Amino acid sequence: QSDSQKFRITPLAGSFSATSSGLTIGADGFVGIGTTNPAERLTVENGTFLQLPGTSGNVGTPRLVSTFSLGNNPYAISVDGSYAYIAEQIENSLKIIDISDPTNPSLTSSTTISGDTRYSQKYGRYLYYVEENGTREFHIMDVSNPRSPVQTGVVSVGSTSVISFFVTGRYAYMGGSGANTNFYIVDVSAPVNPRIVSTTATTLDGIAATYVAGRYAYLSSYTGKSLSIMDISDPKLPVLVSTIVLGNT
């Protein structure tokens, strides 16, 4: 790529150091600050990038915008677009809050759900949540109409409590609690009939967090103080790739 194909802003004398390259925008759209050859969409060389929160008149200082009273023990929360989805553990309810006006949130609906819900995720038109104790079930609720959510499907994950899960694509990936816990993969492509496609025994002592990116699931164990990487390219036969011990819980 020649210099004739780049847009460049050169600093005035005295504004930058003599070695500064200013800002460069290549024909490929890559932006470089401090370099004339940006390797990524935004490349900053010999410097840092800072983004401050807060208001224009109070930059850098977060502020409380509003507070909305819910009920007893709101536990799981998921936010998507104009709505917050909050599961209340003691009242056994799902409350959907309209947050389109952050200064004036309002209750859109309240729906009775299975008890002891501690983990939830909004994905597409559905809200996914798990009941940690009791029946230990994984639930799918259609929330495309926030005023009238509808329970669509449920599947039992056995005797082990699920304490983390991650939904992406057609699968939900779930981690259990306790020693030698299980790792579950659930097919949610048919929301009315979710089904477990694999249950993998692990040596992990409680999978406190689950995250999926590409062909791998990343599982953290709070008691085992470790991060494990699982190859999930074949959902019916996930394979543990590696485990690294991190340190404190």
Side-chain angles (χ1 to χ4, degrees):
Q1 187 179 65
S2 66
D3 283 353
S4 63
Q5 295 176 295
K6 299 177 182 177
F7 171 78
R8 182 179 301 168
I9 298 176
T10 304
L12 295 172
S15 300
F16 294 81
S17 66
T19 58
S20 176
S21 301
L23 182 144
T24 299
I25 302 177
D28 53 7
F30 283 25
V31 178
I33 300 176
T35 175
T36 58
N37 295 295
E40 301 292 341
R41 293 292 181 188
L42 175 61
T43 302
V44 180
E45 189 170 300
N46 296 323
T48 58
F49 178 79
L50 176 64
Q51 180 176 348
L52 295 174
T55 63
S56 58
N58 194 19
V59 176
T61 305
R63 64 185 181 91
L64 179 64
V65 175
S66 62
T67 299
F68 187 86
S69 180
L70 292 168
N72 292 323
N73 206 21
Y75 209 101
I77 182 170
S78 185
V79 177
D80 184 32
S82 298
Y83 296 98
Y85 306 82
I86 301 171
E88 294 197 348
Q89 186 182 22
I90 294 178
E91 291 186 359
N92 299 339
S93 66
L94 170 71
K95 287 184 168 62
I96 300 181
I97 312 298
D98 186 337
I99 54 172
S100 55
D101 179 0
T103 64
N104 186 33
S106 60
L107 178 66
T108 299
S109 63
S110 180
T111 306
T112 299
I113 60 174
S114 184
D116 202 12
T117 298
R118 303 190 184 188
Y119 313 96
S120 67
Q121 180 185 343
K122 169 71 163 48
Y123 186 80
R125 64 183 290 171
Y126 298 101
L127 182 77
Y128 302 84
Y129 65 93
V130 292
E131 181 188 351
E132 183 177 0
N133 297 307
T135 58
R136 296 183 170 90
E137 294 174 329
F138 175 72
H139 297 258
I140 304 176
M141 179 171 283
D142 187 337
V143 293
S144 56
N145 180 359
R147 297 185 180 280
S148 183
V150 177
Q151 185 80 45
T152 58
V154 60
V155 62
S156 175
V157 291
S159 59
T160 301
S161 296
V162 170
I163 57 175
S164 68
F165 73 93
F166 189 91
V167 180
T168 182
R170 62 179 294 171
Y171 296 105
Y173 306 84
M174 300 186 289
S177 65
N180 301 321
T181 189
N182 290 330
F183 174 65
Y184 305 92
I185 299 181
V186 179
D187 187 338
V188 295
S189 59
V192 297
N193 185 34
R195 59 186 182 87
I196 298 176
V197 295
S198 63
T199 300
T200 305
T202 74
T203 58
L204 302 179
D205 196 352
I207 302 175
T210 300
Y211 187 84
V212 174
R215 62 181 290 176
Y216 296 104
Y218 301 84
L219 317 173
S220 68
S221 171
Y222 58 89
T223 305
K225 306 174 183 178
S226 63
L227 169 69
S228 296
I229 301 176
M230 190 87 71
D231 187 335
I232 53 171
S233 53
D234 181 357
K236 295 181 180 179
L237 190 64
V239 177
L240 180 64
V241 176
S242 62
T243 296
I244 181 173
V245 176
L246 299 171
N248 294 328
T249 302

